[in-house]
Amino acid sequence: MSGDPVVEELLDVTVTVNGVPRHARVPARRLLSDFLRHDLGLTGTHVGCEHGVCGACTVLLDGRPARSCLVFAVTAQAHAVTTVEGLGTREAMGPVQRAFAECHGLQCGFCTPGFLTTVTAYLEEHPHPTQDEAREAISGNLCRCTGYQNIVRSVLRAAELREAAEADATAGDS
Ligand code: FES
Ligand code: FES
């Protein structure tokens, strides 16, 4: 029996994150959530349950919401990931971020990045949700502060802001 320590093989992983190719050498078991937070320093993605239940770690994988705690970083190789950092900046917030700020859709804010990414993807496909549809859209994300009323308001307000931005863009084109 050899006393040699087991050396874990490292793999080169390159993922396009928020439009920029990012690379790290990581073990095959590295989760996408840890890859983003620890290897790339993008700590906006939060980790709650690590079991795919709470939605805090939601990012967009090729535009669709994905629980980054259930995805290995190697499987995101050559795919596009959008994290909360890619939705806008403090100076130039995206419509969903603005809506959450306006409508007090956050309390402690721990769940907020997951809500923002989830709602961004939802509104792309359902730009005019009803209140019930907005409630349904966020049903896979848990807020420990139970701030759901304001989060539902935020979803509806984000839809308004998106619509206004599109109308402005159309007016600018004509
Ligand atoms: S941390 Fe991924 S779903 Fe909770
Ligand atoms: S705002 Fe606190 S967990 Fe959602």
Side-chain angles (χ1 to χ4, degrees), residues 7 10 15 20 41 48 57 72 80 82 87 127 131 139 168:
V7 178
L10 298 180
V15 179
V20 178
C57 67
F72 288 118
T82 304
L87 300 184
Q131 186 167 134
S139 60
D168 283 353

Side-chain angles (χ1 to χ4, degrees), residues 106-111 143-145:
L106 62 160
Q107 293 181 52
C108 76
F110 190 83
C111 65
C143 172
R144 291 179 292 189
C145 306

Side-chain angles (χ1 to χ4, degrees), residues 46-58 67-70:
H46 290 167
V47 173
C49 66
E50 295 186 80
H51 289 290
V53 175
C54 73
C57 67
T58 304
R67 310 286 211 219
S68 61
C69 73
L70 297 184

Side-chain angles (χ1 to χ4, degrees), residues 84-94 97-98 101 106:
V84 68
E85 288 92 343
L87 300 184
T89 62
R90 187 183 290 270
E91 296 71 34
M93 286 193 274
Q97 292 169 311
R98 272 179 55 201
L106 62 160

